[in-house]
Amino acid sequence: MRIAPSPTGTIHLGLARTSLFNWAYARHHGGTFVLRIEDTDKERSRADSEAAIFSGLRWLGIDWDEGPEVGGDLGPYHQSERIDRHLLVADQLLQAGRSYRCFCSRERLDAMRTEQEARKETPRYDGTCRELDPAESLRRAEAGESFTVRFRIPEGSTVVEDLVRGTVTFDNSEVDDWVMVRQGGNPTYNFVVVCDDADMQITHVFRGEEHLVNTPKQVLLYEALGLKAPHFGHLPLMLGKDGKKLSKRHGSVALSQYREEGYSRDATVNFLARQGWALDGETEIFSVQQLVDAFEIGDVSKAGSIFDFDKFAWMSGEYVHRESPAELAEHCTEFMVEAGLVTREELSADPARFEAALLLGQERVRLYSEMPATIGFLYMADDAIEYEEKAEKNARKHDDRLEVLGAYLELVTPRLQAGDSAEELREAGKAFVKERELKFPQLFQPLRCALTGKAGGPDLFDIMVWLGPQSAVARIEQGLRRLI
Ligand code: GLU
């Protein structure tokens, strides 16, 4: 198994899914998972993009058995370091007549393409240089004429037994005599991918469906080299809700974005695994171990999968809600610190208190990044609580707000000082409302505004217990002054 990303951008959701399926298959079958960096496009390849691929894969928990940073017997694992071998193979194919030099100028090729497109034909090379006498071809090359090297597509048809799509037959007359080596000697993707996959003894290639058009070219090249082609599996396209290929128009496709936005990592893996694959007919939430145990390429669907961003956030919530306090603390710390609410030192000085705070927010967030907005008020200085418009409006709806809040303060102060539990406070609160023949919002809306400044949020009694008597009382007293 291998993945062969080009380090030309960030790691996107498609590459993340392709990586996951290759990796899961290798882990399921005890195979070797190889990472090769296809960095032959020097203009576009970037070191930071390569680093982003490594870090994205590692974040997902996808480790590679051979590749950059880990080594292996069949390296080098950067395609650019294999160029000598590529040129050697190119030469062999030329000698054997399986490829030929093409001296057609760019202008001629462009004009041909324009004409073909005008006639609504698939653009393709017309074969002008196909039958050039080899001696003549060599002479022109030696005379310094520039040329590309094209692969000579034989007649007949090419059958690909795709592990996802079944038997796919291509009529060779539809496959162009494609360029293997560009003018100036740079080999192309379809050529080097075959060289490298063969040299690295790759047995399985799973990649996006957009590569299916390349597969007959590659299969024919394996044949020309007298090699057995690997097994191919083309993974269904990931689509937006409108059925179009997933792109930036639908939402960010950069994996790093979701990491930065505080999506649960395990949920991300789970959700990516659901793009074209299912554990069974119904289980949405499954672990990476379940994926590895059950993953078979034959179960991957042919139909494009819809990447539903709302469902992704929902799934993150499913994972966040199940985390232990310690896990939650680990995942939320940086977001709390970055929001400027509290320092890392303050949090680690009293982890139990931080965990208790997180428990108040846990059911209310789907992403770790939502935690500061949900429980941030707990860590604010009492006099720094700002009232959101809606919270204040809710509180002011009640003409008796000051009277109710004042009476409640008298009730709750000694209880908080005595260390009442949230449950005890809740009972007392209910009794207070009942005795005075109030409706709950008459107490809760002014109280919530005073304690949190927000219109909604965690349970008020839990909040008061967490704040402790001094802070809870100070906030209610402040409310009595500010809600006049
Ligand atoms: N470098 C190619 C890409 O990034 C690899 C395709 C393949 O898996 O063959 O799309």
Side-chain angles (χ1 to χ4, degrees):
M1 310 299 317
R2 55 71 163 170
I3 52 162
S6 309
T8 52
T10 156
I11 168 163
H12 55 84
L13 297 173
L15 173 59
R17 193 268 312 254
T18 299
S19 306
L20 182 64
F21 283 12
N22 276 282
W23 174 86
Y25 187 86
R27 293 293 171 262
H28 179 96
H29 289 282
T32 306
F33 177 59
V34 179
L35 171 60
R36 181 177 70 237
I37 298 293
E38 299 213 323
D39 58 346
T40 36
D41 186 341
K42 289 190 198 69
E43 307 265 286
R44 294 176 62 222
S45 296
R46 299 193 334 244
D48 59 342
S49 159
E50 191 175 306
I53 292 173
F54 298 163
S55 115
L57 290 175
R58 286 192 171 121
W59 180 63
L60 291 171
I62 298 178
D63 54 340
W64 49 100
D65 304 309
E66 290 179 22
E69 297 187 351
V70 305
D73 294 337
L74 298 170
Y77 295 94
H78 281 87
Q79 194 159 55
S80 58
E81 292 170 35
R82 308 177 73 88
I83 188 86
D84 291 348
R85 171 87 184 130
H86 302 148
L87 296 177
L88 195 75
V89 176
D91 203 46
Q92 278 169 8
L93 288 163
L94 202 56
Q95 299 300 330
R98 304 306 300 259
S99 61
Y100 59 91
R101 292 187 195 85
C102 170
F103 296 94
C104 295
S105 67
R106 173 115 313 276
E107 293 70 36
R108 185 176 122 58
L109 295 173
D110 286 347
M112 189 169 72
R113 167 182 273 267
T114 313
E115 276 173 34
Q116 287 167 338
E117 278 171 353
R119 290 200 299 268
K120 303 244 175 315
E121 291 171 13
T122 315
R124 51 176 310 160
Y125 181 56
D126 64 358
T128 304
C129 296
R130 210 169 200 256
E131 305 309 334
L132 266 186
D133 174 52
E136 165 76 358
S137 162
L138 184 63
R139 190 194 56 73
R140 286 174 70 175
E142 282 175 350
E145 231 182 289
S146 58
F147 60 90
T148 61
V149 178
R150 288 184 184 272
F151 185 72
R152 192 187 297 275
I153 297 285
E155 285 182 1
S157 58
T158 303
V159 178
V160 177
E161 296 296 344
D162 192 279
L163 295 174
V164 175
R165 313 189 66 80
T167 307
V168 191
T169 306
F170 298 87
D171 188 336
N172 289 0
S173 66
E174 298 293 317
V175 188
D176 208 5
D177 275 2
W178 52 278
V179 172
M180 286 174 45
V181 184
R182 295 187 191 90
Q183 280 189 1
N186 251 344
T188 60
Y189 156 71
N190 275 307
F191 170 43
V192 290
V193 78
V194 168
C195 289
D196 294 349
D197 282 343
D199 288 346
M200 291 180 167
Q201 298 167 17
I202 300 299
T203 53
H204 292 73
V205 171
F206 304 158
R207 58 188 175 195
E209 193 185 302
E210 63 275 18
H211 280 292
L212 189 61
V213 290
N214 291 320
T215 309
K217 299 178 183 173
Q218 296 176 14
V219 167
L220 288 168
L221 181 53
Y222 278 103
E223 267 172 33
L225 292 167
L227 298 168
K228 193 168 166 295
H231 299 288
F232 289 100
H234 287 90
L235 309 175
L237 291 181
M238 282 159 59
L239 310 171
K241 265 188 178 167
D242 56 1
K244 302 220 170 85
K245 192 171 180 229
L246 194 66
S247 73
K248 278 190 208 140
R249 282 181 301 116
H250 299 104
S252 174
V253 290
L255 180 70
S256 56
Q257 173 95 11
Y258 297 94
R259 182 180 179 178
E260 282 157 23
E261 279 181 18
Y263 279 67
S264 144
R265 182 199 81 137
D266 293 348
T268 306
V269 172
N270 188 158
F271 199 68
L272 287 170
R274 287 288 290 108
Q275 301 303 309
W277 186 81
L279 183 64
D280 50 38
E282 54 211 51
T283 315
E284 280 290 344
I285 309 287
F286 49 82
S287 67
V288 69
Q289 191 56 50
Q290 282 173 295
L291 165 69
V292 167
D293 290 345
F295 189 80
E296 280 300 351
I297 188 71
D299 294 337
V300 172
S301 142
K302 271 194 271 201
S305 65
I306 308 282
F307 194 95
D308 181 338
F309 289 92
D310 298 329
K311 199 163 170 195
F312 185 15
W314 164 82
M315 189 172 277
S316 178
E318 290 300 297
Y319 276 84
V320 171
H321 301 164
R322 288 165 203 216
E323 286 189 355
S324 70
E327 285 168 332
L328 209 53
E330 185 191 327
H331 296 137
C332 293
T333 298
E334 70 172 276
F335 292 102
M336 295 293 288
V337 171
E338 265 170 32
L341 291 162
V342 57
T343 65
R344 209 169 278 276
E345 294 67 39
E346 280 162 342
L347 290 180
S348 53
D350 194 347
R353 186 160 168 78
F354 182 34
E355 287 176 12
L358 292 168
L359 272 179
L360 298 189
Q362 185 165 23
E363 284 298 320
R364 307 188 156 266
V365 302
R366 298 176 308 171
L367 317 179
Y368 306 122
S369 57
E370 291 167 357
M371 203 54 105
T374 310
I375 61 160
F377 64 85
L378 293 174
Y379 283 96
M380 287 177 189
D382 299 326
D383 58 5
I385 298 288
E386 278 177 28
Y387 295 172
E388 280 176 3
E389 201 182 312
K390 183 152 181 241
E392 187 159 352
K393 216 166 134 195
N394 284 345
R396 289 188 183 280
K397 270 194 310 215
H398 310 289
D399 292 337
D400 57 358
R401 59 189 178 275
L402 297 178
E403 188 193 326
V404 171
L405 205 52
Y408 183 71
L409 179 63
E410 274 180 34
L411 168 100
V412 83
T413 306
R415 287 178 164 273
L416 284 168
Q417 283 161 349
D420 267 17
S421 68
E423 196 42 49
E424 286 164 329
L425 293 179
R426 188 170 300 114
E427 286 312 311
K430 279 188 200 161
F432 173 89
V433 167
K434 202 168 164 206
E435 265 164 37
R436 299 182 160 249
E437 296 181 355
L438 300 171
K439 297 211 164 59
F440 284 114
Q442 284 173 278
L443 169 62
F444 291 162
Q445 290 184 326
L447 183 59
R448 182 171 294 284
C449 181
L451 291 170
T452 73
K454 294 185 174 294
D459 179 86
L460 289 174
F461 305 104
D462 287 335
I463 290 172
M464 285 191 284
V465 168
W466 191 92
L467 289 173
Q470 203 183 344
S471 171
V473 168
R475 289 184 189 201
I476 299 173
E477 282 173 347
Q478 173 173 261
L480 287 168
R481 292 191 300 274
R482 286 170 62 180
L483 291 171
I484 286 173

